[in-house]
Amino acid sequence: MTVPREMPEKWPRVRVRGGPEEERRVRANAREYNEKFQYASNCIKTSKYNIVTFLPVNLFEQFQEVANTYFLFLLILQLIPQISSLSWFTTIVPLVLVLTITAVKDATDDYFRHKSDNQVNNRESQVLIGGVLRQEQWMNVRVGDIIKLENNQFVAQADLLLLSSSEPHGLCYIETAELDGETNMKVRQAIPVTAELGDTSKLARFDGEVVCEPPNNKLDKFGGTLYWKENKYPLSNQNMLLRGCVLRNTEWCFGLVIFAGPDTKLMQNSGRTKFKRTSIDRLMNTLVLWIFGFLVCMGVILAIGNAIWEHEVGVCFQIYLPWDEGVHSAFFSGFLSFWSYIIILNTVVPISLYVSVEVIRLGHSYFINWDKKMYCAKRRTPAEARTTTLNEELGQVEYIFSDKTGTLTQNIMVFSKCSVNGHSYGDVQDVLGHKAELGERPEPVNFSFNPLADPRFQFWDPSLLEAVKLGDPHVHEFFRLLSLCHTVMSEEKSEGELLYKAQSPDEGALVTAARNFGFVFRFRTPKTITVHELGQAITYQLLAILDFNNIRKRMSVIVRCPEGKIRLYCKGADTILLERLHPVNQDLTSVTADHLNEYAAEGLRTLVLAYKDLEESYYRDWSERLRWAGSASEAREDCLARLYDEVEHDMMLLGATAIEDKLQQGVPETIAILTLANIKIWVLTGDKQETAVNIGYSCKMLTDDMTEVFVVTGHTVLEVREELRKAREKMMDASRSVGNDFSSKEKLSSSKLTSVLEAIAGEYALVINGHSLAHALEADMEVEFLETACACKAVICCRVTPLQKAQVVELVKKYKKGVTLAIGDGANDVNMIKTAHIGVGISGQEGIQAVLASDYSFSQFKFLQRLLLVHGRWSYLRMCKFLCYFFYKNFAFTMVHFWFGFFCGFSAQTVYDQYFITLYNIVYTSLPVLAMGVFDQDVPEQRSMEYPKLYEPGQLNLLFNKREFFICIAQGIYTSVLMFFIPYGVFADATRDDGAQLADYQSFAVTVATSLVIVVSVQIGLDTGFWTAINHFFIWGSLAAYFAILFTMHSDGLFRMFPNQFRFVGNAQNTLAQPTVWLTIALTTVVCIMPVVAFRFLKLDLKPELSDTVRYTQLVRKKQKTQHRCVRRTGRVGSRRSGYAFSHQEGFGELIMSGKNMRLSSLALSSFASRPSTSWIETLWKKKGSEGSGAGSPSGTADKTLKV
C-alpha cells in the first residue's frame, strides 16, 4: 500500500493500554496487520460452564446464595457432638436435594446456551481469502476480511463498508427493521473508487486502509476516511451495511469488515444482560435476614435460660446429670446451648422454601407455554416463558413500554377509503344501499377485468370501480395521480407478475390501489414513467420530482403528458395541501374536509391529492432556476425549498385517500383493558411523529375526548424545559378550575408535585420527539419530564434511538416503585427489553433478536392482556398465598421447641423425633402447599379478564408484604402456643384406659406432631380457593403418608432391623388408641382453626374484597339464565391527522432522476394482506383513593392538540 502525503508516517496509538479505543484502523486483506490491534472477534459465547468447570463454578455460585451458605454452616455445626442434638442427615438431605435440583436446572440451561452458540458460530459466510471465496465459519470472520453477501441475506456477520455490488454505481438496497424498526427500503452506495471492484481478482488486490471512529452506538452516523493509491476518500453512514439489516433486490455485494462481534453498532445498542429479581425475591431476602435475627434472639434467650438453670438448679444434679466433657461452667453450658438451639430452631427458615418457590415458578412457566389461547396458529408460534424467575412480577406491572412497528401494528397499510370530487367511496353497503354492519360484508370488489391486478388487494365498495368503468374524468385523474406521483420501483419477474418496492408501506398501498383500479404503474426510467391505463400503455415524460421530507410533508411530480401538456401532481398532508389550493376549490374543499374528519374519526391515515397545469414558458423558466439551485454550493436546500413552494400553489383539488395502518388484531381492546387495570402504556418508537400519533389514535391510546395532547418539539434545553413547564401549568390550572385546592403560590417538593399531578382531573397525553427527549433525559431535567409524563394517561416518544428507549425505562425504574414491562419485536428494542423489570419479545417480521433477549415471547400484542391479567395475576396470587402459608406452618412447627425449652431445663431437647423433623417439610407438608402454589385461583380466567380491577392488589403489593408476613408469623406463634400447652395441660393429669400415667415423652411427641399435621392440613384446606383432584390427593395423601410412616417407624419389624434407631416399639399405636389423645387433638385443632374461620367470615361479610364479590356474582350467574348483551360500536369524531409517512429521510426522487438506480429488472414491492379493523371499549379507570380528583373535566377546546 502506498501511503498518501496527507497520511502521517507515524500513527497515534489506536488503543491506550487499559483504556478505550480512540480510533480504528483497518487494512483490507491483511489479517496479520489487523490482529496486532486485538480487535474483538466474531465468536459468540453466552454459555457459562464446560465439563471441567461446571461442578466447582456452579457450587461456588450456589453458595453465594445466603440461604445455601447458612445451611452449610448449620451442617458443620451439626457435626460437632457437643452442641448437636440432631443427626446430620436432618440438614444434609434437604441441602443436597436443593443443590442437585438447582445444578440440574443450570446444566440444562447451559446446554441449550452451548447449542445456540454453536449454531450461531458455525454459520457459514463467504470470505475472500487468498483471492478465492471460501466458506468460513462465522466465528472465524475477522476485522479486515472481505465478505460476499447475496440477495435477501441478513448482514449477520459484522458492520461492513460497502465496496461494490451487482447494481450500477455500487448501489444496494437494504431493510433496517432489525435496527430501527423501519421496514421501508433504504439505499446504500459504495464510493466510486471501489464500486468498480466487482470481481474477486480485483478485490484480492485491494489493500486500502480505513481510519474511522471507534465502536459506538450511533446507528445513523459514521465517520471515516479510506486511504488508497495515494488518495483519501471520505466515508459516511451511506457507505455502511450494519449488522442486522437485510440485503434486498441486490444480487450480491462485497463488504469490508470494520466492526465485529460486540463492537458492532447493533451490539453496542443492545446493552448488558441484567440479572432480574422480583420484588418478592428482594422482600424474601429481607425477611430471611429478619427471621435469622429472630432466631438469634430466641437462641440467646434460651441460652441465658440454660446458664441460669444450670447455675441455680442443674448444679444440684451433678451426680447423675454431669456436664459434658469440657464444660466447666454454667456460662459455657449456655454458650453451647445457644448453638444447639440455633440448629434446632433453624427450620423457621427451611431450605425447602427455595426449592418449592422454584418448582412453583416452573409450573407457572409451563402453564404459559401450554396456553392454547396464546398460541398463534397462523405462525405456529406458542407463547414461551424464557425465564422462570419473574412470573409473579407479571401480576404487579404498572408501566408498559411498547414499540410501535410490528408490535402494535402489523406494518401493513391498506387502501381503505377515498374521496373523489366530493364523493366518498369505501363504505360497505348492503343490497338495499344501507351501510352494512360488521359481519354483514358482501363479497369484495371483483377485479377480474384487470389481468395485472394484485389478487391480495381487497376493496368493498363497487361504486368506485363502476365510476372507473364509466369513464368519470375525476376518478381517472385521481388514480392517474396515484400511479405517477411516487418513488416506487417496479419489477416484472414474469409476464404480468408485477412486484413493487416502496420506501414506505403508504406508497405501496396507494400504488397498488391504482393498479387494481386499472391504472397500473409498469416501469420507469430516469426520464419516463409508463402506466397501463385501462389496458392501454401510456408513457409520461418525467420532468421533475419534488421530493418528500419531514418539513414539506408532501411530494410532487411534474410530467409531460402524451398530448404535450405539462402537469404537476401533488399529494401530502391535509394541513399543508388545503392551504395551497386555488380559491375556486372552496366548496369542494369544505366537502372533502368533512370526509377527512369522518376518516380521521375511524383512525385512518389521510392524504390530500391535487394537481396543477403549468404553462410551457413558466416551466422552462422555473426549470432553469431549479437547475441553478441544484448546483448551488451554499444554501442548496433552502433554494430548492423556495422553488418547490413557489410551484406548489394554486392547485386544483382532486380528493383524498384514507389508509388503514393495520393494527394487530385486538390491540385497541387490549390497551383499553390494560388501562382499566391501572397500567400506564408508553409507546417508544423510532418512527416519525405523524405516524406514531396516528397509531396512537387508531389503538385508542389517544382520543379526541382528551383534555389536551401536549406535543413537545423543542430543539434546545430551554425550549424543552419551557414546553414541559407550560404543560404542567395547564394541567394544574385545569385541576384548580374543577375544585382542587392547590394554591399557585404553594411550593411543592418534587415528590409532592408528582403526587399532585397524578391526581389531576382530566385526561392528558404527551408526545415528544427524539431530539427533545435527548434534552429531557438530561440529569437536570429528567425529573421534570417524568413528572409531566406520569401525569398523562398516554405518552408517545417518537424518533427515539434504541439507547433512548432504555434510558426512558431506566428513568421510570429509578424514580417510580412500579414494575416496568417492555415489549418489542426488533433488535432496536433489545436494550429496552433488557432494562425493564420484565422483557417481552414479539416473534414478528423483524427477526428474533428481541425474542432472544426477552423473558417472555409470543406472536401478537393482544396476548399481553392474558399474560398479565390471567397468568401474571394468578402467579402473584399463588406465590403470595404459598409464602404466607409456608411461613405460618414453619413457625407453628418450630416455636413448639421454644416453649418446650422452658420445661426441659433449656437442654436443647426436641419435642419431635428427628425423623419427623426431617420429613415435615419434605413429605408431610410439601405437596399440599405446592399444589396450592401451582393450581390455586380466586376467580376463573374469564372473570380476571372481565374485571381488570382485580389486578390492583398486585400493583399495590397487598397480598404479601411486611404486614402480611407479621400476621402469618403471629398466627404461627399462636398455633404453636396452643399446640404445646393444650397437650401439656391435658397430659399433666391424664391416664390411660388401664389407669397408667399417660404423660411420657414419646406419647407427648406423637400427640403434638399429629395435632400439628392435622391443623396445618386443615389450614391449607381453608386457604385453597380452587380445588382440583391433585389438591385432594396431596392433602389427604400427605395425612395418610404421615400416619403410615408414623406406624411404620414404631413397628416391630423396623425395630428388629434397626434396633438402635427405632427403639420406641408400639408407642404410636398405644398413644393413638387412647380417646383422651384424640380429644386433645380435636380440641387443639378447633381452638387453632376457629379464630381464623371467624375472622374470615366477618371480613367476608363486613368488608369483602373485589374477588369475593366476583365469586358471589359468579354463583348468582350460575343460577340465572345467561343474557347476551349487544355492545354498539361508536365511531370517534374529531380532528383529522395526516398519514403522510412515506419515509424517515429524503425520498428517492434525486436518485431516480439521476438514473443511477436503473437496471433491466427494477425493484420489487411485496404486497400486504388486509384484515378488517377491530373495535374497542372507551373507558377510564380511576384509581381507588386518588387524592384531589375532580367531579368532572374541563370542556375541550376546538383544537384538542396543544403545540407547546
Side-chain angles (χ1 to χ4, degrees), residues 128-259:
L128 186 64
I129 301 177
V132 179
L133 280 174
R134 297 181 181 176
Q135 295 293 331
E136 191 76 18
Q137 289 181 331
W138 186 12
M139 62 182 175
N140 295 327
V141 173
R142 297 288 183 267
V143 171
D145 288 350
I146 294 178
I147 294 177
K148 181 180 181 181
L149 298 175
E150 296 179 344
N151 190 34
N152 296 325
Q153 183 177 347
F154 262 97
V155 182
Q157 297 87 352
D159 289 348
L160 309 176
L161 170 65
L162 179 62
L163 297 178
S164 61
S165 74
S166 58
E167 306 306 301
H169 308 283
L171 291 170
C172 76
Y173 305 92
I174 60 172
E175 286 183 0
T176 60
E178 278 283 335
L179 296 171
D180 53 21
E182 301 174 7
T183 55
N184 53 291
M185 187 180 61
K186 294 182 174 63
V187 180
R188 295 292 182 263
Q189 185 173 14
I191 58 175
V193 71
T194 65
E196 305 302 325
L197 304 177
D199 57 76
T200 55
S201 60
K202 294 179 180 178
L203 288 167
R205 294 192 298 271
F206 176 66
D207 61 350
E209 183 162 358
V210 173
V211 180
C212 66
E213 61 189 20
N216 59 72
N217 56 23
K218 297 177 181 178
L219 294 171
D220 57 346
K221 292 183 180 179
F222 177 82
T225 305
L226 171 65
Y227 293 90
W228 190 42
K229 294 182 178 180
E230 299 189 1
N231 292 303
K232 63 178 182 179
Y233 308 93
L235 303 175
S236 69
N237 199 51
Q238 290 300 309
N239 311 123
M240 296 295 293
L241 303 179
L242 301 184
R243 176 181 176 180
C245 63
V246 184
L247 194 66
R248 296 294 190 198
N249 300 103
T250 306
E251 292 183 15
W252 53 262
C253 72
F254 286 94
L256 174 66
V257 176
I258 304 297
F259 301 117

Side-chain angles (χ1 to χ4, degrees), residues 740-795:
N740 285 337
D741 187 18
F742 298 130
S743 172
S744 59
K745 297 181 180 180
E746 181 182 4
K747 293 184 178 180
L748 298 171
S749 65
S750 175
S751 59
K752 178 67 175 176
L753 179 59
T754 301
S755 62
V756 169
L757 284 173
E758 291 183 355
I760 61 173
E763 295 180 12
Y764 298 89
L766 177 69
V767 179
I768 184 168
N769 273 323
H771 52 77
S772 303
L773 184 63
H775 297 305
L777 292 176
E778 292 180 2
D780 60 340
M781 204 191 305
E782 61 181 14
V783 174
E784 296 179 46
F785 166 65
L786 187 64
E787 289 169 355
T788 309
C790 289
C792 296
K793 178 184 176 183
V795 178

Side-chain angles (χ1 to χ4, degrees), residues 87 89-91 93-94 893 913-923:
S87 298
F89 64 79
T90 59
T91 297
V93 171
F893 165 66
D913 67 75
Q914 58 188 4
Y915 298 104
F916 181 82
I917 293 173
T918 303
L919 298 175
Y920 177 76
N921 278 309
I922 296 178
V923 177

Side-chain angles (χ1 to χ4, degrees), residues 717-733:
V717 174
L718 294 178
E719 289 176 356
V720 174
R721 190 188 301 275
E722 181 65 16
E723 290 171 356
L724 292 175
R725 184 189 63 79
K726 287 182 179 179
R728 290 196 302 275
E729 285 182 354
K730 277 193 167 288
M731 288 188 282
M732 294 291 289
D733 291 343

